[in-house]
DNA sequence: AGAAAAATGGACCAGCAAGTCCACTCTGTG
DNA sequence: CACAGAGTGGACTTGCTGGTCCATTTTTCT
């Protein structure tokens, strides 16, 4: 791949990807044009095609890869240390806050949608991301199980899959509506239900263990 | 607005929307061009702009509205009768199957992403859809609670929100990866956990399987 | 130093798609 | 039947964007 890339060349290439990522975040896919990337990165067209001979798609794929790495990075180190209920709660808080701040747009979703049909690599990037993400969650659940906080018979992978779906859905809705309620509810209930599985003795039915209002006609 | 529309005119307008929806489903947003819509609907450019004076965005907004209605329609009548666990299971099966068949692409998501920034109406359409969807779920949960299948103190709206997020996430992942595992897991666990809340006496700990044994390809 | 390779600048091209315009045809109503 | 207005056809304009090409500068390596 990166065979003969001078330090300078490497820097330029990186600048292009950074710029493209920024433009994409700000202007969406239809607002992301090579000219815009050129302007932002202070490069010329020849450079774009020098580093990405296959053109726009190749560049956007690189951006997708870059953004995919970001997704998990911003959740660290919490995502990597889900070995107690407190750690889960902490991770939940960080994740919710991050997506609340990011708000509007998800570069991965945008790119996935845009490159999906044409560029096969894009799908692979997303699948890889989801897989890694789910694996972190599974590791965390297993840690809880090993520590005796969860029943031994629990289907870890299924739980992890559901949890990942909950996050995705919450984020999707957050981006569509601007409100984080669903993300919060999804995470809280997913974690809460999980937790309840580990406390068979405690309150089984009403269990307002969290902070919800109860009285309701 | 659409005041003076002959029967013929109305038909043409409808044909344009149908055609646009089809093209969008088949070719994605970047493949959806006015020319394509013209060809598919056998209309001319002047007609497109006659019925949608504001151009492409206006047309796509109409398509979004149309597709939003579809989303809930295909889940009926099940979505409207979630008054027993069996009914929930039935709805789950139908929904999963539908999205499995639809597979690749979600017109709403595509349009939401594309129109999101520019057209304010698009966001409203999506919000309205999500709201109606969640309300159906909430009504179903309330029905269960009223029937005594769920504890009285349950926060229905939060559960409904989480459930909606679970669906959205599952569908998102299905569309990204092509696999419905997450959608199934998310729905099964969300419904399963809910059900567990109504059966405080039953097996509290292991029992991961419960009732969702079937349909697990 | 000096040649080879990498990096860069930017003019130029081709194509496509949204939107405009005007002329023409239908339809219904007094 | 006539005529006003809706409905239709399609050429044309405009603007932009991805992509090509070649000349030039800078770096690297011996």
């Amino acid at each position: 791949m990166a065979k003969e890339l001078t330090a300078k060349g490497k820097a330029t290439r990186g600048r292009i990807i950074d710029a493209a990522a920024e433009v994409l975040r700000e202007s969406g896919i239809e607002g992301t044009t090579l000219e815009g990337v050129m302007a932002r990165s202070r490069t010329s067209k020849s450079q774009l095609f020098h580093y990405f001979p296959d053109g726009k798609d190749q560049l956007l794929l690189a951006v997708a890869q870059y953004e995919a790495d970001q997704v998990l990075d911003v959740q660290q180190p919490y995502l990597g240390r889900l070995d107690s209920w407190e750690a889960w709660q902490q991770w939940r808080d960080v994740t919710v806050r991050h997506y609340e701040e990011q708000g509007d747009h998800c570069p991965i979703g945008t790119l996935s949608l845009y490159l999906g049909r044409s560029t096969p690599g894009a799908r692979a990037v997303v699948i890889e991301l989801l897989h890694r993400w789910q694996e972190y969650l599974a590791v965390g659940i297993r840690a809880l199980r090993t520590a005796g906080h969860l029943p031994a018979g629990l289907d870890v992978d299924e739980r992890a899959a559901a949890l990942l779906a909950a996050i995705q859905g919450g984020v999707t809705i957050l981006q569509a509506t601007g409100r984080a309620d669903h993300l919060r509810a999804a995470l809280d209930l997913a974690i809460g239900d999980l937790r309840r599985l580990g406390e068979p003795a405690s309150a089984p039915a009403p269990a307002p263990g969290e902070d919800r209002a109860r009285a309701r006609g």
Side-chain angles (χ1 to χ4, degrees), chain A residues 41-58:
Chain A
S41 60
R42 280 177 329 238
T43 51
S44 66
K45 210 157 235 181
S46 67
Q47 297 179 66
L48 280 188
F49 283 87
H50 180 64
Y51 295 105
F52 304 94
D54 292 342
K56 197 180 186 183
D57 281 4
Q58 191 186 1

Side-chain angles (χ1 to χ4, degrees), chain A residues 8-201:
Chain A
K8 192 178 179 184
K10 227 169 174 176
T12 301
R13 198 188 124 102
R15 236 172 50 235
I16 293 174
I17 293 180
D18 287 350
E22 286 172 23
V23 173
L24 184 71
R25 283 188 123 97
E26 289 177 12
S27 315
I29 187 63
E30 80 271 35
T32 299
T33 153
L34 294 189
E35 310 244 343
V37 175
M38 283 162 52
R40 172 78 63 136
S41 60
R42 280 177 329 238
T43 51
S44 66
K45 210 157 235 181
S46 67
Q47 297 179 66
L48 280 188
F49 283 87
H50 180 64
Y51 295 105
F52 304 94
D54 292 342
K56 197 180 186 183
D57 281 4
Q58 191 186 1
L59 169 58
L60 290 182
L61 185 59
V63 172
Q65 191 84 57
Y66 168 81
E67 292 285 8
D69 291 338
Q70 289 293 309
V71 170
L72 294 185
D73 280 355
V74 300
Q75 297 179 55
Q76 298 295 10
Y78 310 98
L79 183 59
R81 304 191 196 285
L82 296 175
D83 48 12
S84 71
W85 294 117
E86 291 69 36
W88 277 84
Q89 188 62 31
Q90 231 176 351
W91 164 74
R92 184 221 93 129
D93 292 343
V94 169
T95 303
V96 169
R97 186 167 330 124
H98 170 255
Y99 280 106
E100 267 181 324
E101 283 167 5
Q102 173 168 306
D104 288 287
H105 262 1
C106 170
I108 294 288
T110 307
L111 288 172
S112 167
L113 211 57
Y114 178 74
L115 297 174
R117 315 176 160 277
S118 49
T119 315
R123 174 167 280 212
V125 169
V126 174
I127 290 177
E128 165 73 8
L129 165 63
L130 291 174
H131 188 263
R132 279 195 292 158
W133 199 341
Q134 182 171 333
E135 197 46 36
Y136 273 114
L137 298 174
V139 166
I141 297 174
R142 274 196 205 96
L144 291 175
R145 197 180 57 178
T146 302
H149 296 135
L150 285 174
L154 185 78
D155 186 333
V156 173
D157 290 325
E158 189 185 27
R159 281 281 163 185
L163 200 39
L164 183 60
I167 300 167
Q168 290 307 315
V171 171
T172 300
I173 296 176
L174 164 58
Q175 279 155 5
T177 67
R179 312 225 38 189
D181 305 304
H182 291 77
L183 177 58
R184 271 197 219 94
L187 278 177
D188 285 345
L189 290 188
I191 297 177
D193 286 335
L194 199 59
R195 195 159 184 171
R196 217 166 285 128
L197 286 178
E199 301 170 349

